[in-house]
Each structure stands twice: as C-alpha cells, then as structure tokens.
C-alpha cells in the first residue's frame, strides 16, 4: 500500500510521465511563471497610474497656474503619471502654436492652435494606453490556450496508458491508474496557468478602461479650458 502511494505521488507521476507529457508540463509551467510575472508587474503599474491620476487631478482642479503646472510636468515626466503627460503634451503644443503664430505677425488662428493641442493630447493618450495595455494580450492568450495545451497532454498520456495495457494479460486499476493520473496532471497545470491569467486580464481591462474614460474626459475638459483662454 505504501508503494502504491509513493508511485502516485505528484513528483513521481511527473518524473515517470511520457516525454511528450513532460514537455507539455514544462511549457505550461514556464508560461505560468511568465504570466505571474506580468500579473504582478501590471498590478503595480495600474495602481501607480491610478494614484498618479488622482494626484494630478487634485492639483489641476485646485486652480493653479497652468504654465507652472506645465513646467512641473515637463521636468518630471517619468514620475508625473499618464494624465500629467497628456496635459504636458497638449499644453506644450498650445504654447508652441501661440508663439509660432505670434512670431509670424499674422492674425492668430486659434482654431488651428486648439486643434493642434487636441491632436497632441490624443497622440499622448494613445501612447499611454499602449503602455498600460502592454502584456494584456499575452494574459488573454494564456487564459484561452493553456487549458487546450493541458488537454493535449492529458490525451497523449491516456493514449500512452492504454497502449501499455496491450502488454498485460489482465487490465487492472493499478495498471492504468498511474498513466491516467499523470495525464490529468497536465490538465491541472493548464488550468493553474489559465485561471489566474483570465482573472487578471478581466480585472486589468476593467481598471484600464476606467482610466481611459478619465483621460478622455480630461482631454475634453482641458480643451474647453484652452478654448476659453484663447478668447
């Protein structure tokens, strides 16, 4: 009885599994490790982006000087946050547009200046969203593909177990149990890789979508502020 328990232990089943099944298990474990790395990295990135957005909104709507706020955002681009960089892009383009038109000694076409500022903010918005959404596609792929990869290992292991029955005269549970057990481990590892990836993908997608709404709302509100200042 002790020998059977030892033979059916987790590590023993993996070490005695077929080479193809072992390769599939190793692939799934590697994918799971990379997935968890991205999950923790994205968790810190999204939390930092949310905190920086809240801090900048408080500073912006406190009614401070926009030029001073722009200088502060420009000098601290790396740590100021996504929303501050969007503001810095729009305000910087607005200042450059006004200076260029003033230097040309022509009538100020404030509509063109405002359009330039809006385009700069939209471009910065897309860059920030691309950064926030990085690695989400990998998590989605892991969540959708890993169970099928684990199922492939399970099918292969069960096929190998039943092929082994051809060499015995009497099929018993003790003869087929190790092969089926090692095959089912591949499915378990596939689910272990997929479930956290799916949960993390859904959570991060929701949080990033909410940040995107706040960014887009800020672009519209700041555009209105620039339009009032240009009159």
């Amino acid at each position: 009885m002790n020998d059977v328990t030892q033979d059916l232990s987790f590590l023993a089943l993996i070490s005695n599994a077929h080479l193809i099944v072992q390769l599939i298990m190793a692939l799934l474990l590697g994918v799971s490790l990379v997935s968890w790395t991205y999950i923790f990295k994205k968790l810190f990135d999204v939390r930092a982006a949310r905190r920086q957005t809240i801090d900048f909104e408080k500073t912006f709507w406190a009614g401070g000087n926009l030029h001073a706020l722009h200088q502060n955002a420009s000098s601290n681009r790396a740590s100021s946050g996504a929303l501050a960089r969007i503001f810095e892009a729009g305000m910087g383009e607005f200042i450059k547009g006004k200076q260029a038109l003033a230097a040309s000694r022509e009538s100020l076409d404030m509509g063109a200046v405002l359009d330039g500022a809006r385009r700069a903010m939209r471009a910065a918005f897309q860059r920030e969203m691309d950064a926030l959404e990085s690695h989400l596609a990998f998590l989605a792929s892991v969540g959708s593909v890993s169970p099928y990869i684990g199922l492939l290992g399970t099918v292969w292991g069960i096929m190998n177990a039943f092929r082994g029955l051809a060499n015995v005269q009497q099929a018993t549970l003790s003869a087929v149990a190790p092969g089926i057990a090692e095959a089912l481990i591949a499915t378990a590892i596939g689910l272990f890789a997929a479930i956290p990836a799916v949960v993390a993908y859904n959570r991060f997608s929701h949080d990033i979508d909410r940040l995107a709404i706040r960014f887009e709302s800020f672009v519209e509100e700041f555009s209105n502020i620039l339009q009032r200042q240009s009159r």
Side-chain angles (χ1 to χ4, degrees), residues 44-110:
F44 295 136
D45 290 344
V46 172
R47 283 183 177 178
R50 187 189 302 115
R51 184 183 65 255
Q52 292 168 341
T53 298
I54 294 174
D55 292 342
F56 180 79
E57 285 179 339
K58 290 180 180 178
T59 303
F60 180 84
W61 295 114
N65 185 275
L66 292 180
H67 291 275
L69 189 59
H70 173 257
Q71 291 178 353
N72 182 62
S74 299
S75 59
N76 300 284
R77 296 192 81 255
S79 59
S80 57
L83 188 58
R85 288 189 288 269
I86 294 174
F87 162 77
E88 188 267 337
M91 189 66 187
E93 185 64 27
F94 180 75
I95 294 174
K96 291 177 183 178
K98 289 185 66 174
Q99 291 175 347
L101 289 175
S104 65
R105 296 181 180 179
E106 298 177 357
S107 59
L108 293 179
D109 186 2
M110 294 309 301

Side-chain angles (χ1 to χ4, degrees), residues 66 86-87 89-99 101 108-123 218-231:
L66 292 180
I86 294 174
F87 162 77
M91 189 66 187
E93 185 64 27
F94 180 75
I95 294 174
K96 291 177 183 178
K98 289 185 66 174
Q99 291 175 347
L101 289 175
L108 293 179
D109 186 2
M110 294 309 301
V113 175
L114 293 173
D115 288 341
R118 182 186 291 272
R119 287 194 298 270
M121 285 190 288
R122 297 301 301 182
F218 176 82
V219 169
E220 297 301 323
E221 292 169 343
F222 185 53
S223 297
N224 292 335
I225 293 174
L226 292 179
Q227 187 173 11
R228 289 195 297 268
Q229 286 195 354
S230 64
R231 295 174 181 174

Side-chain angles (χ1 to χ4, degrees), residues 10-25:
F10 189 80
L11 295 178
L13 289 173
I14 294 178
S15 61
N16 296 327
H18 190 272
L19 178 61
I20 299 298
V21 180
Q22 288 181 337
L23 291 176
I24 291 175
M25 291 179 183

Side-chain angles (χ1 to χ4, degrees), residues 134-153:
S134 62
H135 307 312
L136 285 186
F138 178 82
L139 294 178
S141 299
V142 171
S144 60
V145 174
S146 292
Y148 295 103
I149 298 177
L151 183 60
L152 174 61

